[in-house]
Amino acid sequence: MVRPEIGKTFVADGIKTNYHDTGEGRPVLLVHGSGPGVTAWANWRLNMPEIAKEFRVIAPDMIGFGYSDSVGRITDKAIWTNQLVRLLDDLEIDQVSMVGNSFGGGVTLAFMIAHPDRVDRAVLMGAAGLEFPLTPALDFVWGYEPSREMMHESLKMLAWDQSRLTDDLIDSRYHASIRPGAHEPYHATFGGSDRQANIAMLSSREEDIAALPHEVLVLHGKADQVIPQEVSLRLGNLITHSDVRFFGECGHWVQIERMASFNRAVIEFFSHGLKF
């Protein structure tokens, strides 16, 4: 059976990365969020085909997620930024534009700070990356224990439009979360008793964020229960060359619930910058 979640394979230091590579042109790197059962394909399946009409799209499963290998509990986001460096080196790509969703936004910011010359522009969507008090929704999602009911409740936290939570979607994410070896690394990293520490781990220093020279587009759903709007406002105020946009009738899933607007905004921004 062909599984759309499985793409190409890259191995560095014995750790396998599953990634998708589609389209042609200037490269765009998509970094997914941290919900249970997530993969790059699940996160970006509605966006990759459209963005790939204009750009080369690369979307990896981050270490500990999807069909990439796990390494147990992760306490330093550098393991993910290093994974991206090694992947880009293997693909012989010097510079990319990036889209970071939630957890992936924190990783994207850390990557931009550590490797500024390797990033052209970036989109941060419902992004982590700054300290904030743990929200009940994020606490629930990170505390996921495998059951169909708990998957349904977790997805409710992510979507404004509950009609999107079809049986097929719930079942696919639930079965992904119980695939052998899937839940253990997720729980080890995010499911501990001190989940506030996960936010700290994904955060970067404000002075480092403020020093970023890149153009950044910050996107956020108005009904997001997972990451407070205040985080995106703070990012917008810190980053000199940035715009902040809020999407109505939208929760934490801007790329899904406002798919057409999201795809259009990303393509225009990466084509023309903040002047579009």
Side-chain angles (χ1 to χ4, degrees):
M1 181 174 109
V2 176
R3 300 193 63 89
E5 301 95 335
I6 299 176
K8 300 180 179 180
T9 298
F10 161 69
V11 179
D13 300 324
I15 301 172
K16 180 184 73 175
T17 292
N18 175 62
Y19 71 99
H20 303 268
D21 188 348
T22 183
E24 297 180 352
R26 286 183 288 138
V28 171
L29 180 63
L30 308 180
V31 188
H32 61 72
S34 65
V38 75
T39 63
W41 181 87
N43 203 122
W44 305 113
R45 67 191 184 282
L46 301 180
N47 316 114
M48 288 192 289
E50 286 302 310
I51 300 173
K53 291 178 181 178
E54 303 291 336
F55 300 97
R56 179 183 178 183
V57 176
I58 300 152
D61 289 352
M62 304 306 289
I63 290 171
F65 293 94
Y67 290 86
S68 290
D69 284 346
S70 62
V71 293
R73 182 167 182 252
I74 296 172
T75 58
D76 186 347
K77 59 185 173 292
I79 193 167
W80 293 304
T81 59
N82 291 339
Q83 176 191 15
L84 297 178
V85 169
R86 299 295 293 273
L87 176 60
L88 295 181
D89 286 348
D90 186 72
L91 296 175
E92 299 182 343
I93 295 173
D94 293 329
Q95 189 178 70
V96 293
S97 290
M98 299 182 70
V99 184
N101 170 210
S102 193
F103 151 85
V107 174
T108 294
L109 279 167
F111 185 91
M112 295 167 71
I113 291 165
H115 307 282
D117 294 340
R118 303 203 70 164
V119 182
D120 181 13
R121 300 182 177 113
V123 175
L124 303 174
M125 181 181 66
L130 289 171
E131 291 264 21
F132 62 91
L134 179 69
T135 60
L138 184 54
D139 189 37
F140 187 89
V141 169
W142 275 348
Y144 171 82
E145 291 291 345
S147 75
R148 190 183 187 282
E149 180 181 4
M150 197 165 181
M151 177 59 75
H152 190 188
E153 292 300 314
S154 294
L155 296 180
K156 283 181 180 179
M157 305 289 183
L158 303 177
W160 173 81
D161 181 0
Q162 300 295 300
S163 70
R164 293 184 179 276
L165 306 182
T166 62
D167 286 341
D168 285 346
L169 175 61
I170 297 165
D171 288 338
S172 67
R173 290 289 291 261
Y174 168 60
H175 289 300
S177 76
I178 61 172
R179 184 174 53 82
H183 181 64
E184 292 81 2
Y186 182 82
H187 179 75
T189 296
F190 296 105
S193 59
D194 184 9
R195 294 179 194 135
Q196 186 69 46
N198 300 334
I199 295 172
M201 186 257 285
L202 292 171
S203 296
S204 295
R205 298 191 312 165
E206 289 194 5
E207 54 265 43
D208 292 335
I209 295 173
L212 289 172
H214 312 84
E215 287 192 344
V216 178
L217 181 61
V218 183
L219 310 178
H220 210 114
K222 287 184 179 180
D224 192 338
Q225 301 180 67
V226 178
I227 305 290
Q229 291 184 26
E230 177 216 6
V231 176
S232 285
L233 288 171
R234 288 166 59 201
L235 287 171
N237 284 325
L238 284 169
I239 301 169
T240 301
H241 308 293
S242 68
D243 283 354
V244 182
R245 291 181 57 182
F246 290 97
F247 292 78
E249 300 185 346
C250 182
H252 196 54
W253 277 349
V254 177
Q255 81 281 18
I256 295 173
E257 296 192 283
R258 295 295 302 275
M259 173 190 68
S261 296
F262 171 84
N263 291 341
R264 184 165 55 247
V266 168
I267 291 168
E268 290 292 332
F269 175 60
F270 288 156
S271 298
H272 306 295
L274 293 177
K275 297 180 177 64
F276 72 85

